[in-house]
Amino acid sequence: SGETPSIVLLAEIAKKHGAKILCLTAGVDSSLFKLSNICITYDTFPSSQLMKTAYEQFSYIFFDECALKLAEFGQLEINEIETNHSILE
């Protein structure tokens, strides 16, 4: 939705510290969209996914691919990435 309070707060804090914000959302009128420097938008569609939304499943695949490409670009080893990994939410 682009309105999850913890995500919007983290984006505000990151932006105050000079971070560039990239979002992936269907909520083009959302707070997160307005905070973002770059926003990838998508259309919503009905889904019969059990337990997870189509967006969540798409996100896992999309961001896994982004991480792999960044690792290749930066010539990073998997164990180095795992050591430095943290979850902000």
Side-chain angles (χ1 to χ4, degrees):
S1 71
E3 296 297 339
T4 304
S6 59
I7 300 299
V8 172
L9 177 63
L10 288 170
E12 290 171 342
I13 292 168
K15 191 157 191 150
K16 278 184 191 175
H17 287 86
K20 301 292 184 202
I21 308 298
L22 166 76
C23 82
L24 179 65
T25 186
V28 296
D29 293 322
S30 69
S31 299
L32 189 59
F33 181 89
K34 292 172 187 169
L35 281 167
S36 298
N37 300 92
I38 299 170
C39 197
I40 300 170
T41 60
Y42 60 90
D43 294 329
T44 58
F45 55 91
S47 173
S48 60
Q49 298 291 324
L50 297 175
M51 304 300 289
K52 298 288 181 189
T53 66
Y55 165 75
E56 287 175 306
Q57 292 184 347
F58 166 77
S59 296
Y60 294 141
I61 295 167
F62 177 77
F63 288 115
D64 273 353
E65 183 63 17
C66 288
L68 287 171
K69 293 298 181 191
L70 286 170
E72 289 173 11
F73 179 77
Q75 299 177 345
L76 301 172
E77 298 294 328
I78 294 299
N79 63 343
E80 181 181 359
I81 295 168
E82 289 173 345
T83 301
N84 293 314
H85 176 74
S86 65
I87 297 174
L88 296 177
E89 185 178 1

